[in-house]
Amino acid sequence: QSSDTATVTLIHGFRGLLADVYLDGERILEGFAPERSTDPTEIPAGEHTVEVREADAAPDSEPVVEGTLDLPAGANLTAIVHPDADGQPTISVFDNAFDTPGKGKARAVVRHAAVAPAIDVKVGDVEVASGLEPGGEDGAIIDPKNTEVTTTDASSDALLAPQRITAEEGTTVALYLIGSADDSLGWLSQRLDSAGAPAGVPTGNSGLAAPVGVPWWAGAAAALAALAALRLVVVGGRLRRIGNA
């Protein structure tokens, strides 16, 4: 990674929204589907404007959500589009920098990106999150051989059926709760390597659609020449859905 760039992964966690994503006024992703992610990508450090519009909406139309990404040099971040407390799209950013878990251990990090009450989460017999509010994050060291996830509310009522994740020794797995308690909650997972960078996850029968596999910069290379470091590809192998939420 260059000393004057940051690494960013974008996750789409807002169901029902097929989106076009703009960075600094240029469309960088077309038809970005829910429960998808991009490759981790180096972006010049500094402030960048992000706008999300419904797919095929006019470039000058009102975005459904917009915000500013302030990227420190050397940072490794995940930005997720998800519903806020009112069910409207918003963007949350999480830092992917974690120490390497000890020998024989892994780390689970829970990121609450759903319209749901505060949650308690266990992975195996380890409490990973307690009273975690929407927009929050918590984590703990876990046994990679004991990875059943249980999710409850403050009254200890189950919000989801127990589900199992894949956690490899020496890595961190980030779990994103998406959806709505009134409709359908679900987990998405993103594996991070020991340095905090997103790493590939076999999709198997995770329920993700086939990778789009088309670089967003196709047809826009001239307009994005100043951002030559950007090379995002929508893929399925960086993100998986857990179970059949």
Side-chain angles (χ1 to χ4, degrees):
Q1 178 177 320
S2 170
S3 61
D4 59 355
T5 64
T7 300
V8 178
T9 301
L10 179 63
I11 292 177
H12 191 337
F14 192 98
R15 290 173 171 154
L17 174 64
L18 189 64
D20 290 345
V21 181
Y22 291 73
L23 183 71
D24 297 332
E26 300 293 342
R27 185 164 54 186
I28 59 170
L29 287 171
E30 296 184 18
F32 192 31
E35 300 182 27
R36 289 283 191 175
S37 73
T38 64
D39 272 338
T41 301
E42 290 188 26
I43 297 178
E47 289 192 353
H48 299 275
T49 300
V50 177
E51 298 168 308
V52 179
R53 294 180 171 86
E54 292 186 3
D56 298 324
D60 58 353
S61 63
E62 186 75 15
V64 295
V65 61
E66 60 183 324
T68 299
L69 286 180
D70 188 2
L71 306 179
N76 190 295
L77 308 172
T78 293
I80 179 170
V81 179
H82 65 97
D84 63 15
D86 297 321
Q88 299 303 308
T90 189
I91 301 174
S92 293
V93 179
F94 296 96
D95 192 343
N96 293 326
F98 298 99
D99 294 334
T100 304
K103 185 176 180 180
K105 297 295 184 179
R107 178 186 288 102
V109 176
V110 174
R111 295 168 171 175
H112 193 332
V115 183
I119 57 173
D120 297 336
V121 180
K122 284 187 175 182
V123 177
D125 56 0
V126 177
E127 184 178 75
V128 177
S130 178
L132 185 65
E133 299 282 351
E137 173 186 60
D138 207 349
I141 301 298
I142 63 170
D143 179 353
K145 297 179 182 178
N146 187 10
T147 57
E148 184 175 79
V149 179
T150 56
T151 311
T152 59
D153 62 17
S155 301
S156 298
D157 293 329
L159 295 175
L160 285 164
Q163 297 170 36
R164 189 168 296 278
I165 61 171
T166 298
E168 298 182 14
E169 178 181 344
T171 66
T172 293
V173 58
L175 304 175
Y176 300 85
L177 184 67
I178 67 166
S180 168
D182 294 331
D183 182 12
S184 178
L185 293 173
W187 286 108
L188 300 177
S189 72
Q190 175 192 24
R191 185 167 66 88
L192 309 175
D193 67 19
S194 58
V201 177
T203 57
N205 295 319
S206 62
L208 293 175
V212 175
V214 179
W216 57 256
W217 43 265
L224 294 174
L227 298 177
L230 292 174
R231 293 293 184 269
L232 290 180
V233 180
V234 180
V235 296
R238 303 284 174 182
L239 191 71
R240 71 186 310 179
R241 186 170 63 195
I242 304 171
N244 297 308

